[in-house]
Amino acid sequence: METCTDNWAEIEAASKAVLPAEIVEYIAQCRKSPERESYLISVLHRVQGHFGYLGRTQLDAVAQLLQIPSAKVTGVATFYHFFRLEKPGRFTVNVCLGTACYVKGADKIAEKFKEELGVDFGETSKDGLFTLEVSRCLGTCGLAPVVLIDGVAHAKVKPDHVPSLLEKYRSKAEQAPVNGK
Ligand code: FES
């Protein structure tokens, strides 16, 4: 990608305005490398770490500032499952389906969350509150089956606990709304 467009300074400024200063600085360092494409995943991780997902605007800004074609940046972001392309819900519900949890019925818990939220793994409930995800081990097998909600581990969960767990977080959202959620 060439930088010699007439309005490059304008594009660069607009792209910089999209990302936090520390990521802009990191990209500037990466861009000095003759192999700047090899830093793309690392840059995308930082952007996702900041925003919680990789939106079109952020991907375009990375492409411009790293001087990598937009199609390449989008291709990498969509190829790896750990990159999220849509804004997540306020709470992430992470159901562990690792062996220790699975043998204790985690699959039934997962089904109950899907049913209650009306979503599949990787999707966000219509009210924008919950994003359902799956893990292969949360590192707390002694508490199996485990569900992590908003970073808090819930131990020995049973399917009939699911409605009250969700209710607890809905109440939390009502008491402290964030951006209308
Ligand atoms: S398998 Fe679920 S926490 Fe390890």
Side-chain angles (χ1 to χ4, degrees), residues 77-153:
T78 51
F79 181 78
Y80 292 102
H81 72 277
F82 44 74
F83 289 130
R84 182 198 297 281
L85 301 178
E86 287 176 7
K87 192 172 182 181
R90 174 155 174 197
F91 306 113
T92 299
V93 177
N94 202 319
V95 182
C96 181
L97 287 182
T99 308
C101 290
Y102 193 87
V103 297
K104 293 196 172 179
D107 56 329
K108 294 185 180 61
I109 297 164
E111 286 311 310
K112 188 67 177 171
F113 272 110
K114 287 181 184 177
E115 183 190 314
E116 289 287 323
L117 295 174
V119 299
D120 207 335
F121 289 129
E123 295 178 349
T124 299
S125 57
K126 281 205 177 79
D127 57 10
L129 282 182
F130 301 99
T131 296
L132 187 60
E133 292 190 339
V134 63
S135 285
R136 293 298 160 193
C137 181
L138 292 167
T140 52
C141 306
L143 306 178
V146 188
V147 177
L148 200 65
I149 306 180
D150 198 25
V152 175

Side-chain angles (χ1 to χ4, degrees), residues 1-5 8 11-12 15 27-28 30-33 36-37 40 59-70 72-73:
M1 190 186 286
E2 295 296 325
T3 58
C4 55
T5 55
W8 167 243
I11 291 170
E12 186 181 31
S15 301
I27 293 175
C30 299
R31 205 167 118 188
K32 290 177 187 160
S33 165
R36 60 180 184 269
E37 283 196 23
L40 179 55
L59 291 175
D60 285 344
V62 168
Q64 292 293 348
L65 295 175
L66 203 49
Q67 290 288 286
I68 291 177
S70 216
K72 169 94 187 176
V73 174

